[in-house]
Amino acid sequence: MMKTITRTALASLLLALIAQPAMAVEAPSRTECIAPAKPGGGFDLTCKLLQVSLQETKQIDSPMRVTYMPGGVGAVAYNAIVAQRPAEAGTVVAFSGGSLLNLSQGKFGRYDVDDVRWLAAVGTDYGMIAVRADSPYKNLQELMAAMKADPNKVVVGAGASIGSQDWMKTALLAREAKIDPRKMRYVAFEGGGEPVTALLGNHIQVVSGDMSEMVPHLEGGKIRVLAVMAPKRLEGKLSEVPTAKEQGFDIEWPVIRGFYLGPKVSDAEYQWWEDAFKTLVATDDFKRQRDLRGLFEFNMFGKELDTYVKKQVVDYREKAKSFGLAK
């Protein structure tokens, strides 16, 4: 009789334990977003979006810190997180399509796409080509015709090196215009802010970058965007910018923006962030902040994002191979 009671009590206890929800993981006591470039570019923009939105939606108590770790368009930050800070649950790192392109070409050293935990994508941007407002080039055809007539006359600047997404955008345009991409005059800067400064100073004639980085400069009236590499014209105040496609250049270049975590962050800590992002992107506060930064809706998390990122890396590798940039 006693054994029966004991077994029944034990079984009830086990069922009760199983039925109990798992202990909820609390928000990290300190949060940090690493922007893998100097201030002023797309990585900075991505971190600031998260910093402001987390605070506005009260998902964290203390303000998130934004730090800058320039070098190799993300390579320095990637290596630091994997090798030195792999288990920091409060530290997220911003990434973009450019990060994935560099990964596809092996530019992050001994680490590859499987060495971090891809967490969340919170928006998409699109590639664009811009000139000064007083530039003689009024549209994409005029610019490419000038570049074809004399490649040395037109200097293109961007926030990354040859083989980067900014270089790739102009190389794809050049190839469509029957220009040898190797003959382009291309100047690499670190981060998205520096080439704009160089353009405004008339040190270069063209900037290849992302649309969101240009929104503040467009409002200032100092820059003209000749083309956006989107499938159709963007909405609102950007609707006046023509696409590359409608000007005869069949090129699209979406740029997702998101975050990853170190490889040794626990599943429970990872889940806290995934849940936080899912809550965040549904709020009006976040949508307003995203729109202010010229980003467009693109929400993807967890396993779905992991699959997407790895497919993108494969696709980018094929594009790089076509220019002799990857094996």
Side-chain angles (χ1 to χ4, degrees), residues 20-158:
Q20 283 184 344
M23 186 75 71
V25 173
E26 294 183 356
S29 57
R30 296 172 62 186
T31 55
E32 176 185 6
C33 184
I34 296 175
K38 293 180 181 179
F43 290 133
D44 189 10
L45 175 150
T46 309
C47 278
K48 294 285 179 58
L49 170 62
L50 181 60
Q51 179 190 47
V52 172
S53 300
L54 281 175
Q55 195 72 16
E56 283 194 352
T57 56
K58 297 180 171 57
Q59 301 224 54
I60 55 175
D61 297 324
S62 302
M64 168 176 266
R65 183 173 61 152
V66 174
T67 56
Y68 302 94
M69 198 177 289
V73 196
V76 170
Y78 202 86
N79 279 261
I81 285 296
V82 177
Q84 299 159 23
R85 304 167 62 179
E88 291 186 11
T91 302
V92 297
V93 187
F95 80 91
S96 73
S99 312
L100 306 184
L101 179 63
N102 278 2
L103 271 172
S104 77
Q105 298 174 53
K107 289 187 175 181
F108 281 12
R110 68 180 187 271
Y111 299 118
D112 63 23
V113 71
D114 297 313
D115 286 315
V116 299
R117 304 198 71 175
W118 302 100
L119 175 61
V122 295
T124 188
D125 203 348
Y126 292 98
M128 65 86 229
I129 299 294
V131 295
R132 279 168 49 123
D134 59 1
S135 169
Y137 311 122
K138 306 299 183 189
N139 54 53
L140 197 55
Q141 291 100 327
E142 289 181 3
L143 172 64
M144 300 314 295
M147 192 179 288
K148 188 172 184 178
D150 185 359
N152 289 315
K153 185 180 178 182
V154 182
V155 183
V156 179

Side-chain angles (χ1 to χ4, degrees), residues 37-42 158-160 166 189-197 207 213-214 217:
K38 293 180 181 179
D166 290 339
F189 296 88
E190 181 63 53
E194 290 185 4
V196 174
T197 301
V207 165
E213 296 172 357
M214 294 301 116
H217 305 291

Side-chain angles (χ1 to χ4, degrees), residues 55 64 72 75 97 112 115 146 148 162 167 178 184 186 232 237 256 272 294:
Q55 195 72 16
M64 168 176 266
D112 63 23
D115 286 315
K148 188 172 184 178
I162 289 176
W167 180 88
K178 305 295 188 290
M184 289 192 307
Y186 181 88
K232 60 182 181 180
K237 58 190 174 184
I256 69 164
W272 182 89

Side-chain angles (χ1 to χ4, degrees), residues 225-277:
V225 177
L226 298 184
V228 61
M229 296 175 180
K232 60 182 181 180
R233 287 202 183 199
L234 305 178
E235 297 179 356
K237 58 190 174 184
L238 300 176
S239 61
E240 294 180 6
V241 179
T243 65
K245 186 174 287 188
E246 71 186 76
Q247 297 179 75
F249 299 85
D250 191 14
I251 297 168
E252 294 179 19
W253 198 277
V255 185
I256 69 164
R257 297 204 172 273
F259 306 90
Y260 63 82
L261 286 162
K264 294 184 180 178
V265 171
S266 74
D267 289 346
E269 291 162 338
Y270 179 95
Q271 191 62 51
W272 182 89
W273 276 109
E274 185 177 342
D275 293 342
F277 272 108

